Amino acid sequence: MARAKTNIKFQLRSVNLEAGRPSAAQAITRMNQAVASARASGTKAIKLIHGYGSSGKGGVIRQEVLRVLAEKKKDGTIRDFVPGEEFSPFSASCRKALNSLPELSHDQDYSRGNKGITIVLF
């Protein structure tokens, strides 16, 4: 007997760093907690929602998130990260992420150029 196909949608766990309008330091603390928790639980990836800033130039939280993630990648805490504007098949870093976790392409922000998010891989 053939198995019925199931239509299970991929759900990437999201962490909203900008909820409650925190300072950049508070948002980074929230991010560090989320990264530690995800890593400890064996999660393969999370989506950080940090916003893009009301000025249109990129917010302080976004800048700090990307800076801290670069440090975490360098020290081996995370495997990699993909800023939202690179979360598409046209980005080498995203294609690399998709090779290890193809389900990422099913996320609602895939190929949308959303500068307010970043995907973190463990």
Side-chain angles (χ1 to χ4, degrees):
M1 180 187 289
R3 285 186 172 194
K5 276 190 174 180
T6 56
N7 251 350
I8 299 173
K9 265 195 159 181
F10 175 71
Q11 184 67 37
L12 183 61
R13 185 174 138 229
S14 296
V15 179
N16 190 343
L17 302 178
E18 64 178 355
R21 301 178 51 95
S23 67
Q26 291 168 322
I28 294 303
T29 297
R30 191 178 292 170
M31 180 192 75
N32 287 333
Q33 291 169 343
V35 165
S37 174
R39 189 172 169 184
S41 70
T43 300
K44 294 182 180 183
I46 60 172
K47 180 188 339 184
L48 300 176
I49 302 168
H50 46 66
Y52 183 58
S54 58
S55 68
K57 298 179 200 168
V60 174
I61 292 174
R62 178 182 189 272
Q63 293 168 8
E64 280 298 296
V65 163
L66 297 177
R67 182 188 67 75
V68 172
L69 288 175
E71 291 174 2
K72 289 184 179 303
K73 180 179 175 181
K74 188 175 181 179
D75 72 19
T77 303
I78 64 170
R79 189 162 40 104
D80 207 353
F81 66 96
V82 181
E85 65 271 23
E86 295 178 22
F87 190 43
S88 80
F90 305 108
S91 162
S93 64
C94 185
R95 286 192 304 272
K96 183 179 171 187
L98 289 171
N99 282 338
S100 64
L101 194 58
E103 301 95 319
L104 289 173
S105 67
H106 299 292
D107 184 75
Q108 67 182 7
D109 284 309
Y110 183 66
S111 287
R112 296 186 94 186
N114 183 351
K115 293 180 180 182
I117 64 140
T118 297
I119 306 298
V120 181
L121 299 146
F122 300 94

